[in-house]
Amino acid sequence: MSVIKNILSTAAVAAMFTAGAAQADDIRIALVVKALGIGFFEAAAEGAQEAAEELGNVEIIYTGPTDTTAEGQIEVINALIAQRVDAIAVSANDTDALVPVLQRAMDRGITVISWDSGVAEEGRELHLNPSSNPLIGNMIVQLAAEHLPDGGDVAVLSATTTSTNQNIWIEEMTAVLPNYPGINVVGTVYGNDLADDSYREAIGLMQSHPDLRAIIAPTSVGIVAAAQAVADAGMIGQVNVTGLGLPSEMAGHIDSGASQSFAIWNPIDLGYAATMLAYNLSTDVAEAEPGASVPMGRMGELVLDETNSGAMADPFVYDASNVHDFADIF
C-alpha cells in the first residue's frame, strides 16, 4: 500500500510519495522532478512505485520544487543529503547548476543519476534519456511537416532557456530541417514550463507571425497551453500544435483539431526505468561505465555510451486513432 507524506523543506512544501512501508533496511530512492504538480512527473512516480513494489525493499521519495528553478531543486537535494537517502534520480532544471550539490551527494556515498533532463557528466553516474535525442528532434519537426505538404512557417515553444533536454531536441530538430524543404522556423520562445507563460507566448507567436502554420512544443506543459491558445484565438485549422505531450491532457485538443498529432514516451516506463537503474547502481548490481549494460527490469537494459548516457525507447505518436486508448493511463 502506498503512503503519501508531506515534508517541509527550507524552500517549500515538497510532496513525498512512499511505496510500501518503510523498513530499516529499505533502499531509499528519491525521484526529484522539475516541479511538483506536473502530470508527466506524477505518471513517472507511478512507474517508480511499480518498480519499488517489484523490488520489494525500496522506499520511493517523490519530491521537487514548486517551480522549475535550479535553486529550488538544490534546496530539495540538500534536504535529501541530510536525510542520507541511498540514491537520487533527478530530472534537472539546469545542466550545470546542480553539479556541485550532486557531487556533494556522491561524496557522501549517495548514488546519483539523471533522467529525462540531464546534468553534466561530473554531476551524475549515468543519464537516462527517454529516447534517442536525434530521433526526438526529427520526430517533432516531422509531425509538423506531415500536415504541411507545401511547407510553411513554424515556431518553437520551449520550456526554459536552460532546460537541458529541450535545448538538445531543438538542436537536433534544426540539424534535420534540410530534410523538410519548405519548413521555415520563424522563432523560438520560452514559456518556463508554466501554463500561463506558455499560453501568452503562443498567443504572441500567432500575433507576431500571421502566416504561422504550426507551433512545435517539446514540453508537456507548453503543448497544452499552445493548443488552448490556438482554440481561444479561433485559429483551429490554421495553426497546428504538435510536439511532446500527455494523452490525458491532449485528447480534447486532438478532438477539437487544435492538434493533429503529438508524440511522447511513456512516463510510467521512464519512472520505472530510472528507479531500476538507481537501485542496481546503489546495490552494486551494476557499475556505470562506458559500454556497460545496466538492467532496467521489464524495460530491458540501458547501454551506456562514452558519456555514460543511454536511451530507453523510441517516441510514440498519438493521434485521433489511438489517443483515447491511452488517455486513461497517463
Side-chain angles (χ1 to χ4, degrees), residues 302-324:
L302 185 73
V303 179
L304 300 179
D305 63 14
E306 67 279 0
T307 69
N308 275 5
S309 300
M312 184 185 74
D314 292 335
F316 185 81
V317 176
Y318 301 86
D319 56 23
S321 71
N322 62 9
V323 68
H324 287 285

Side-chain angles (χ1 to χ4, degrees), residues 64-209:
T66 55
D67 54 12
T68 53
T69 64
E71 293 78 10
Q73 285 190 317
I74 288 168
E75 292 202 33
V76 167
I77 292 166
N78 274 323
L80 293 169
I81 293 172
Q83 295 176 49
R84 299 183 181 180
V85 298
D86 296 287
I88 294 172
V90 59
S91 176
N93 284 325
D94 189 286
T95 310
D96 301 311
L98 300 186
V99 168
V101 70
L102 292 174
Q103 287 180 330
R104 188 156 59 251
M106 289 188 289
D107 288 344
R108 285 164 170 72
I110 298 172
T111 295
V112 174
I113 71 169
S114 57
W115 58 283
D116 177 50
S117 183
V119 295
E121 291 179 53
E122 59 268 26
R124 43 75 173 172
E125 295 178 44
L126 65 73
H127 174 62
L128 171 66
N129 285 308
S131 182
S132 157
N133 289 324
L135 287 175
I136 296 169
N138 181 72
M139 177 65 73
I140 58 178
V141 67
Q142 177 183 314
L143 290 172
E146 285 177 348
H147 299 282
L148 293 170
D150 299 322
D153 290 350
V154 306
V156 177
L157 170 60
S158 188
T160 66
T161 57
T162 58
S163 184
T164 313
N165 52 354
Q166 310 267 317
N167 290 337
I168 293 173
W169 298 334
I170 293 168
E171 288 174 7
E172 295 288 355
M173 182 195 80
T174 303
V176 299
L177 278 176
N179 298 334
Y180 299 93
I183 299 298
N184 178 38
V185 178
V186 296
T188 300
V189 296
Y190 301 90
N192 301 313
D193 247 6
L194 298 173
D196 289 347
D197 288 1
S198 299
Y199 181 92
R200 284 192 293 269
E201 292 293 347
I203 292 291
L205 284 172
M206 290 183 283
Q207 292 173 342
S208 301
H209 305 283

Side-chain angles (χ1 to χ4, degrees), residues 256-282:
S256 76
S259 176
Q260 297 297 316
S261 60
F262 64 96
I264 198 68
W265 37 91
N266 189 328
I268 296 173
D269 290 345
L270 190 57
Y272 173 93
T275 301
M276 285 293 185
L277 293 169
Y279 178 85
N280 284 324
L281 293 182
S282 65

